[in-house]
Amino acid sequence: ASSSSSSSSSSSSSSSSSGVHGPLDPSVSAKLRRVTVFAPLTLENLLCGVINFSVYNEQRDLVSSGMLPRGETTCVYQINSRGSFHVSLAMPGEDASRLRTVTPTTEELNVAVSSDGGRHEVLLSLRSVTENGRRKVIIYCPYWMLNRTGLPMQFRAKSTPLGPDSTREQMAGYTDLPAEPRLWYSRSSEQPFLYAYPPQKKLDPFSQKTCIRLTYSRWSKPISLDQVGMTGQLELLERHHSSNRPGQTILFCVGVSVALAPAPFQRTKLITFSPRFILVNKLDRPIYYQQVSDEADEESPTSSATFLEKDERLPWHWPLSKVKRDRRLMRVSFGPDWTWSGGFRLSDIVNYALKITNKRTQEIALIGLEVQLTGASYFVSFSPLPPEKVPYRLENRSSVPIQFQQKKSPDTRGGSELIRLSPYATVPYAWEEPINLHRLIVTAPKYSLKKDLNLDKIKSYFWIRSSVRDPGSWVEQKVATLLVKELAERQPNPGEVCLALRVKVDGPARVLEFVDLIEHPCSLQVISPVRSTKQEVQYHFELDMAPGLGISLIDSTPRELLFFSVEGLHIQAEFGTVDSTLEVTVRHFQLDDQSVHAHFPVVLAPRGDSQNFAFHLSVNKSSLHSRIDYFRYFSALVQEMDLLLDEAFVDALLNFLNVSVESFAGSLKDHDKVLKEVLCEDEFAGPRIGFGHDLPHSSPGFRKLYMELFLLNPIKVNITFRPNPVVPNGQCRKIVGSVGVSLAAVAGASIGLNALLLQHPYLQRHEFFSRIGNHYYRQVLAQMYKILGSSDLIGNPSSLVSNLGTGVKDFFYEPAQGVVKSPKEFGLGLKKGAGSLVKHSVGGVFKTLSNISGTLGKGLATVSMDKDYINARNTNAENPRHVGYGIAMGVRDLGKGVFRGITGVVVDPIKGGRREGGKGVLKGAATGLIGVAVKPVVGVTDLITRTTQGVMNTASLFEVHRQRVREPRHFTPDGLVPCYNEAKAMAQSLIWSLVDTNVDSAYITHVPISARCILLVSTKSVSSVELRTSSQLMWRISLADIERIQFIEPGCKVQITYIRRESRISRILPTSSALPTATANQLVTVPNEAVAQWLVVELQAVTRSVAQLGREVQMAQSFASLEL
């Protein structure tokens, strides 16, 4: 049972109280205590199915058994919550497992249960958690394998050898794949396969990999199943050639995705296997498809092709496995009377048209191709393409016949068809070869005109010829405009021509117009409206905030959590009739942790020269094309940033946002419904079609985006994370632990994201943002190894390599930069490069040594099993500023280790006895004996760690270190949030850092005593602090010890009479406290008499309030003792 103060009672206690005593007064209810009674043991089933359990007490007597449904819990009452017990598990219809013993110190153990009539063995995990004296055992399996391929699949751990007998047995049961792909697959939905790695005799994290194969394929290479969020593919080669398909060896492509199971099953990882490629026919007729190869039959598409019926979908695996990945192409057709389309890749997320031609009637058919990635599967959909969705259209608005042909890529075979467009004709167009260059060669044989055009670029081109003998030339619009105006006043000369080519947009289509400006001079006004329309500024907005802007985040305590500041903010916007521009520049931005004892006061800040912009955004949008969002230019730049996170800071933000393990896990009421959807157990009306995820919805024709140039510059973030071992039950640690991951320190992990440059993208908004998300998502996943390499657990080798590389680079780069300017700059560059080489080399090497010794010290301190010693060591995590300070701190820590090791033999049994009686004495004696050997060794590792930290920091001693923009905001004792006052904020910081370090006191007032001395008054004490480079506490008097305050005349002095206390001789025992000995007086000299009298009144009022509060607290404690 646990007892705690509560402002509101539970519903059951409230109802019972109301029934017996009548309605409670709110003021009385607020003073009640809530007592909650728990079962000593709770079992929770986090498997994907039912599990049978049996629980035995320490004497192996059966106390509870039964069937536990998925996601449910059961309580066991007949065991001792502080003793051991035994558990046996069994799958439905299977024999029970061996008894497994769960002791009070057990964290996790494995239970082997049989399945499939004893043919297989499944390894389950038992996780034991103790909270508030109650114990909870969670039954789960680390991995659920979901086979959605429709093909039989086998798994084995990398460490599990494959014997010859098992191989012979598997080969004996092997049968050839049928020639018809529809006969390969089973449409039934398989249940998840419970999978876990076998226990290892020695710890080898690189052996935690799995090999996978289909019944018809070879084993895959070992893959890791622990990268949550990973999506990829496996390429599994067919074991031998099939007699049903001569000349073909299937390359099976299987998509793999790793995700966490929905709450509360988040300890388990869902490994979903699905077809990598799924073909979907949305046409009203069958469609034939085949892999492109040099041997493909051009005359008879049905000879080696497979057909897909109307409204059918079917997985695709490559029949020609020897083709290189970048040359694996597919093509489609309607049958023998139709040509094949151009080859296209199945892994390109695209949305365009395929063109095929009827050989007899020359009819052109356009097929819509849409490739969408859902999970680990590419859905390749073929759908009808209505005229309004044709991607391109060619229009000839002249009396001149013209020809079009797609430009051939140098690395592709074959050519594209030559299209002849009659005068005043219009035809829809799609690329003959989608993987070739998306450029069009336009020719007019009558005038010997030829132009290589980019159909994705909205632009106008002009060609003029003055006579028949003139070969003609491409000119600017100004020249063409003058010629058209001149021809309006006179007759054109023989052979004089003025033509225009214009790429424009018309809904979702891009249109190429071929216009004769002599025949249609009015068309000149719409050929290039950008230049013919005069820009007129309608609105102009400019904001210049050189001092900056700050945003403060305050919780309900109140307490300031963070402060985000922006310096040098400049915003300029201009809205015109043609173009609208926006430009935002920020010279510096910074995010500060405003907690008092913040390990990283600056959380986020750009790195580098402050003269450059930390952030720059430039946007230019045109309003001429009303049917699309037309951007001429979009560019964003963010300088390299340092992100330093402390676990305490993350916990404070999570508490502010009300994010906990429960909210992270979600509502437990709907977990069964969500899990059914994940495991495909939900019921559908009509027959279910398997193979992976449900078919994604096609995107409707929303408004499209067009950008001439879109640029997101490279982004680099250096991530540092520090766990907070002092608070082991923080929300961050609970959330991370709920998914089976432990927190580790990370130092300077550099995550670099490449730039994204798009020229002339013409996409719907969701497609555009999806392309940006995919660009960054894949890069982040690819660089996760840097975070592992930057862990202090292995010495941070990534930082070592980075530091050495930076030092060597600067040693050569800086002098080379200076030599091209002047000899003086060469000397300065040589000096700067040599300094960088020394700093980064020394700093990198000693940082690695410090991390290794620090990790070793933490491990040895844990072996001591002395929680007080571990907490004191973790709390004292100050970083030495230089080598001298590091040696001094190292010697101090060494002395503490030796002292605590020797005295622990006596002190630890006394502490244990006061906590747990005789049992605690024995525990204390054991920890004391262990501490004699361990704690001095820990002191030696601390000496090495502090010294190497000092050497590392000496290399960067003269660098400018970032500081907070301002001190944390001060608050009044009654919780009000006043306007920010720099002097009061500084005084409050002095109180929290020097005077009352427990941070439970509030600032009241301060009085300058002299130029370098200040008097501080808080809700706990009155003190004097001398202001220097490092401020120093002169004296401190607790308000509870003040007996009298009076004004002394003559002179501006205030006398404080207080009780002087001295500490007991023993400072080791936990019961040490201060004893009153005698009274003393403290004189305070203030600037003038008025201030002195005001100070007397303030101090008297504060002492009276503190005394009254003390009496109320004492009375409440006495009532609580009587109640208990």
Side-chain angles (χ1 to χ4, degrees):
S2 65
S3 173
S4 62
S5 300
S6 175
S7 60
S8 61
S9 303
S10 62
S11 59
S12 59
S13 62
S14 299
S15 60
S16 61
S17 299
S18 301
V20 178
H21 304 287
L24 291 176
D25 185 88
S27 61
V28 178
S29 177
K31 298 180 180 179
L32 295 180
R33 287 178 173 267
R34 179 173 57 195
V35 177
T36 307
V37 181
F38 304 102
L41 175 64
T42 303
L43 295 181
E44 184 177 14
N45 178 15
L46 296 185
L47 299 173
C48 58
V50 177
I51 190 73
N52 296 325
F53 71 94
S54 298
V55 180
Y56 301 81
N57 60 16
E58 204 162 358
Q59 291 75 30
R60 301 204 173 210
D61 297 327
L62 180 65
V63 295
S64 181
S65 64
M67 181 185 69
L68 192 57
R70 176 178 67 195
E72 301 295 332
T73 60
T74 186
C75 296
V76 180
Y77 302 96
Q78 298 87 0
I79 68 165
N80 182 4
S81 62
R82 297 186 178 181
S84 301
F85 59 91
H86 311 278
V87 178
S88 175
L89 302 176
M91 293 288 189
E94 304 289 343
D95 296 333
S97 68
R98 294 188 300 109
L99 290 182
R100 299 289 295 179
T101 303
V102 182
T103 66
T105 58
T106 300
E107 292 186 359
E108 190 159 349
L109 52 84
N110 297 324
V111 179
V113 298
S114 60
S115 66
D116 296 336
R119 292 191 298 271
H120 297 93
E121 191 175 69
V122 178
L123 204 62
L124 305 182
S125 297
L126 297 183
R127 180 77 177 178
S128 179
V129 181
T130 302
E131 293 182 359
N132 298 327
R134 56 174 174 163
R135 300 172 69 179
K136 183 177 184 179
V137 173
I138 302 171
I139 307 170
Y140 74 101
C141 187
Y143 307 97
W144 293 353
M145 306 296 222
L146 306 179
N147 181 10
R148 300 289 178 249
T149 63
L151 300 170
M153 184 173 286
Q154 298 173 343
F155 314 97
R156 69 175 178 88
K158 174 187 175 183
S159 58
T160 302
L162 193 61
D165 294 337
S166 60
T167 305
R168 217 178 293 115
E169 179 182 351
Q170 291 165 359
M171 290 297 292
Y174 177 84
T175 58
D176 282 350
L177 276 173
E180 172 56 51
R182 290 174 181 78
L183 302 179
W184 298 357
Y185 307 102
S186 171
R187 304 269 177 165
S188 61
S189 179
E190 296 185 7
Q191 291 298 316
F193 179 79
L194 302 181
Y195 179 77
Y197 290 109
Q200 299 178 356
K201 296 182 179 179
K202 60 179 181 179
L203 182 61
D204 183 11
F206 298 101
S207 66
Q208 298 289 330
K209 293 187 177 182
T210 302
C211 298
I212 296 130
R213 80 168 181 183
L214 303 172
T215 303
Y216 309 102
S217 75
R218 302 174 185 175
W219 285 104
S220 71
K221 295 180 180 179
I223 64 171
S224 174
L225 304 179
D226 296 318
Q227 300 178 9
V228 177
M230 182 271 294
T231 58
Q233 75 166 345
L234 290 174
E235 295 185 350
L236 307 175
L237 190 63
E238 191 177 10
R239 274 193 270 178
H240 61 82
H241 298 286
S242 173
S243 58
N244 297 325
R245 289 168 286 99
Q248 294 183 0
T249 303
I250 302 295
L251 182 67
F252 295 97
C253 294
V254 178
V256 185
S257 64
V258 182
L260 292 178
F265 305 90
Q266 62 270 10
R267 291 182 179 273
T268 299
K269 297 180 178 67
L270 290 175
I271 317 299
T272 305
F273 300 92
S274 58
R276 185 61 168 174
F277 307 106
I278 300 176
L279 307 181
V280 183
N281 184 10
K282 297 182 180 180
L283 298 167
D284 55 0
R285 59 188 299 177
I287 188 172
Y288 293 86
Y289 58 93
Q290 69 173 189
Q291 182 178 357
V292 176
S293 68
D294 294 334
E295 294 80 16
D297 191 350
E298 293 289 346
E299 298 298 329
S300 179
T302 58
S303 61
S304 59
T306 307
F307 69 93
L308 198 63
E309 292 286 358
K310 172 186 175 183
D311 296 328
E312 184 184 15
R313 61 174 173 167
L314 198 66
W316 165 261
H317 303 282
W318 300 103
L320 305 177
S321 59
K322 295 183 179 180
V323 179
K324 294 182 179 180
R325 178 178 297 184
D326 59 339
R327 296 294 302 165
R328 294 175 192 162
L329 305 176
M330 176 183 281
R331 60 183 185 177
V332 297
S333 176
F334 281 158
D337 296 334
W338 295 81
T339 61
W340 285 105
S341 71
F344 54 91
R345 297 185 179 92
L346 301 185
S347 57
D348 291 343
I349 302 177
V350 294
N351 188 353
Y352 50 62
L354 301 174
K355 178 185 174 183
I356 59 176
T357 306
N358 191 300
K359 298 177 182 178
R360 298 178 181 177
T361 63
Q362 299 302 312
E363 176 190 355
I364 296 177
L366 298 181
I367 303 173
L369 171 67
E370 184 176 15
V371 182
Q372 296 174 283
L373 178 62
T374 301
S377 298
Y378 286 95
F379 286 85
V380 184
S381 302
F382 306 100
S383 58
L385 197 66
E388 62 272 9
K389 288 190 176 182
V390 173
Y392 300 99
R393 194 167 66 246
L394 308 179
E395 296 182 354
N396 184 2
R397 296 174 55 194
S398 71
S399 58
V400 180
I402 55 176
Q403 298 176 352
F404 301 90
Q405 188 176 26
Q406 183 181 359
K407 188 175 182 180
K408 180 180 177 297
S409 299
D411 58 343
T412 57
R413 62 181 180 86
S416 57
E417 180 184 359
L418 183 66
I419 301 174
R420 294 175 174 82
L421 191 58
S422 303
Y424 303 103
T426 300
V427 295
Y429 181 75
W431 299 110
E432 302 283 338
E433 296 291 338
I435 64 170
N436 280 9
L437 295 175
H438 283 197
R439 301 187 70 89
L440 200 64
I441 305 297
V442 183
T443 58
K446 180 179 179 180
Y447 301 122
S448 301
L449 177 149
K450 186 176 183 180
K451 183 65 177 178
D452 183 356
L453 289 178
N454 181 1
L455 280 189
D456 296 331
K457 185 177 182 179
I458 300 176
K459 192 176 180 181
S460 299
Y461 308 89
F462 300 91
W463 186 83
I464 62 173
R465 191 181 73 173
S466 58
S467 62
V468 177
R469 296 184 178 182
D470 184 7
S473 61
W474 295 97
V475 298
E476 297 291 335
Q477 185 209 350
K478 294 180 180 179
V479 179
T481 303
L482 293 175
L483 178 59
V484 172
K485 291 181 178 180
E486 182 181 345
L487 292 176
E489 301 175 355
R490 65 174 178 85
Q491 291 294 328
N493 298 324
E496 193 171 17
V497 180
C498 183
L499 303 176
L501 287 173
R502 177 196 180 193
V503 180
K504 67 175 185 178
V505 293
D506 184 11
R510 269 166 284 194
V511 181
L512 174 61
E513 286 184 325
F514 187 87
V515 183
D516 189 338
L517 293 180
I518 296 180
E519 296 180 3
H520 305 280
C522 296
S523 299
L524 183 63
Q525 300 299 323
V526 296
I527 289 295
S528 186
V530 175
R531 297 184 181 273
S532 60
T533 305
K534 184 178 180 181
Q535 167 77 351
E536 295 181 1
V537 177
Q538 297 176 323
Y539 305 101
H540 181 84
F541 172 80
E542 188 168 356
L543 174 65
D544 192 356
M545 299 183 67
L549 175 69
I551 300 175
S552 178
L553 186 65
I554 302 171
D555 64 9
S556 58
T557 306
R559 179 183 58 169
E560 189 174 39
L561 300 180
L562 58 87
F563 181 73
F564 180 74
S565 59
V566 176
E567 297 179 8
L569 174 63
H570 182 80
I571 302 176
Q572 183 175 351
E574 190 175 272
F575 303 92
T577 55
V578 178
D579 291 344
S580 298
T581 61
L582 172 66
E583 187 162 2
V584 180
T585 57
V586 175
R587 188 175 66 252
H588 181 78
F589 62 87
Q590 185 168 307
L591 180 65
D592 295 336
D593 180 2
Q594 296 296 87
S595 58
V596 180
H597 303 296
H599 188 77
F600 299 122
V602 180
V603 177
L604 179 67
R607 175 187 289 189
D609 190 1
S610 60
Q611 296 179 357
N612 298 324
F613 291 127
F615 175 77
H616 184 204
L617 174 67
S618 181
V619 183
N620 187 320
K621 182 180 180 182
S622 174
S623 59
L624 290 177
H625 302 274
S626 58
R627 296 187 177 184
I628 61 172
D629 291 328
Y630 185 108
F631 291 87
R632 299 187 186 281
Y633 183 75
F634 186 101
S635 173
L637 168 68
V638 181
Q639 293 290 350
E640 180 181 355
M641 297 174 290
D642 291 331
L643 178 62
L644 301 95
L645 294 174
D646 184 18
E647 186 182 351
F649 174 73
V650 177
D651 284 338
L653 286 182
L654 293 177
N655 292 330
F656 175 80
L657 299 173
N658 198 24
V659 176
S660 61
V661 178
E662 291 75 16
S663 62
F664 175 77
S667 174
L668 301 184
K669 297 180 181 179
D670 299 332
H671 72 79
D672 196 58
K673 178 181 177 182
V674 175
L675 193 62
K676 283 184 177 180
E677 294 177 358
V678 173
L679 302 182
C680 301
E681 296 177 351
D682 47 349
E683 298 179 359
F684 292 90
R688 173 177 174 80
I689 302 178
F691 314 128
H693 302 267
D694 291 333
L695 183 65
H697 298 288
S698 298
S699 55
F702 291 120
R703 188 179 179 90
K704 284 194 171 185
L705 290 170
Y706 172 79
M707 295 188 180
E708 293 185 5
L709 180 64
F710 177 81
L711 174 62
L712 295 179
N713 287 274
I715 301 174
K716 186 177 182 181
V717 183
N718 305 301
I719 302 175
T720 298
F721 178 77
R722 175 184 178 271
N724 185 15
V726 181
V727 186
N729 295 322
Q731 292 296 340
C732 178
R733 194 175 294 266
K734 287 182 178 180
I735 292 175
V736 175
S738 67
V739 298
V741 181
S742 58
L743 288 176
V746 176
S750 296
I751 303 298
L753 305 177
N754 296 330
L756 176 61
L757 176 63
L758 300 177
Q759 292 182 322
H760 312 290
Y762 185 59
L763 304 167
Q764 294 183 6
R765 292 188 179 184
H766 75 278
E767 295 174 339
F768 178 73
F769 293 119
S770 176
R771 181 173 296 187
I772 296 175
N774 291 334
H775 172 78
Y776 288 118
Y777 175 73
R778 296 186 179 185
Q779 290 190 70
V780 170
L781 288 182
Q783 299 194 54
M784 284 295 102
Y785 73 93
K786 293 187 177 180
I787 295 182
L788 176 62
S790 300
S791 174
D792 289 345
L793 295 176
I794 55 177
N796 198 349
S798 177
S799 176
L800 173 62
V801 175
S802 176
N803 275 288
L804 293 177
T806 302
V808 174
K809 172 190 171 185
D810 291 346
F811 182 72
F812 293 99
Y813 178 77
E814 295 294 341
Q817 286 290 102
V819 74
V820 298
K821 297 179 181 179
S822 66
K824 181 179 179 181
E825 292 293 332
F826 171 74
L828 293 175
L830 185 62
K831 176 183 176 182
K832 187 175 180 181
S836 176
L837 177 62
V838 173
K839 182 185 74 172
H840 287 92
S841 300
V842 173
V845 172
F846 279 92
K847 184 176 182 180
T848 301
L849 295 176
S850 173
N851 292 333
I852 295 175
S853 61
T855 302
L856 179 61
K858 289 179 182 178
L860 291 174
T862 305
V863 174
S864 70
M865 295 187 295
D866 188 347
K867 293 183 179 180
D868 295 335
Y869 172 67
I870 295 173
N871 291 336
R873 185 176 177 274
N874 291 330
T875 304
N876 186 22
E878 184 182 358
N879 209 357
R881 295 188 297 271
H882 50 77
V883 62
Y885 196 29
I887 294 175
M889 293 178 65
V891 173
R892 179 201 65 187
D893 292 343
L894 175 61
K896 284 185 177 180
V898 175
F899 178 74
R900 285 181 176 271
I902 296 174
T903 59
V905 179
V906 179
V907 175
D908 289 354
I910 298 175
K911 289 182 180 179
R914 289 179 175 173
R915 290 174 181 170
E916 303 182 41
K919 188 177 181 180
V921 173
L922 296 178
K923 288 184 178 179
T927 57
L929 292 176
I930 295 174
V932 172
V934 172
K935 291 178 182 178
V937 180
V938 174
V940 174
T941 60
D942 289 343
L943 172 62
I944 298 173
T945 301
R946 298 295 189 185
T947 304
T948 52
Q949 285 178 347
V951 175
M952 175 186 67
N953 293 334
T954 302
S956 58
L957 181 62
F958 300 102
E959 291 184 354
V960 179
H961 297 281
R962 295 192 186 99
Q963 302 293 333
R964 288 192 181 108
V965 174
R966 63 163 177 79
E967 294 295 332
R969 179 186 297 271
H970 91 287
F971 302 94
T972 61
D974 53 358
L976 296 180
V977 184
C979 293
Y980 184 79
N981 185 291
E982 185 177 0
K984 293 181 179 180
M986 179 66 71
Q988 179 178 261
S989 297
L990 291 174
I991 291 174
W992 285 346
S993 60
L994 296 177
V995 184
D996 303 325
T997 55
N998 52 7
V999 200
D1000 60 350
S1001 63
Y1003 163 87
I1004 294 179
T1005 187
H1006 71 280
V1007 177
I1009 300 176
S1010 63
R1012 292 188 177 181
C1013 194
I1014 185 174
L1015 184 73
L1016 301 175
V1017 182
S1018 69
T1019 54
K1020 294 289 184 181
S1021 65
V1022 56
S1023 57
S1024 176
V1025 174
E1026 185 177 3
L1027 302 177
R1028 295 181 178 177
T1029 305
S1030 58
S1031 300
Q1032 182 178 358
L1033 177 65
M1034 304 302 296
W1035 52 265
R1036 176 188 181 277
I1037 302 173
S1038 175
L1039 293 180
D1041 295 338
I1042 296 178
E1043 291 188 340
R1044 185 173 64 257
I1045 302 171
Q1046 58 183 349
F1047 175 66
I1048 304 297
E1049 293 180 327
C1052 304
K1053 296 182 180 179
V1054 176
Q1055 179 175 291
I1056 304 175
T1057 303
Y1058 64 98
I1059 300 175
R1060 176 177 293 174
R1061 298 178 181 269
E1062 291 184 359
S1063 300
R1064 292 183 178 181
I1065 297 176
S1066 177
R1067 295 175 179 263
I1068 303 173
L1069 300 180
T1071 56
S1072 62
S1073 59
L1075 296 177
T1077 56
T1079 60
N1081 296 321
Q1082 177 69 48
L1083 287 177
V1084 180
T1085 303
V1086 295
N1088 55 64
E1089 183 176 345
V1091 174
Q1093 293 179 352
W1094 171 83
L1095 181 60
V1096 170
V1097 174
E1098 285 289 320
L1099 290 177
Q1100 290 175 349
V1102 171
T1103 52
R1104 284 195 299 269
S1105 300
V1106 170
Q1108 177 65 23
L1109 180 62
R1111 287 192 293 269
E1112 293 179 358
V1113 171
Q1114 186 177 4
M1115 184 178 300
Q1117 291 177 349
S1118 63
F1119 276 118
S1121 301
L1122 291 174
E1123 191 174 341
L1124 291 177

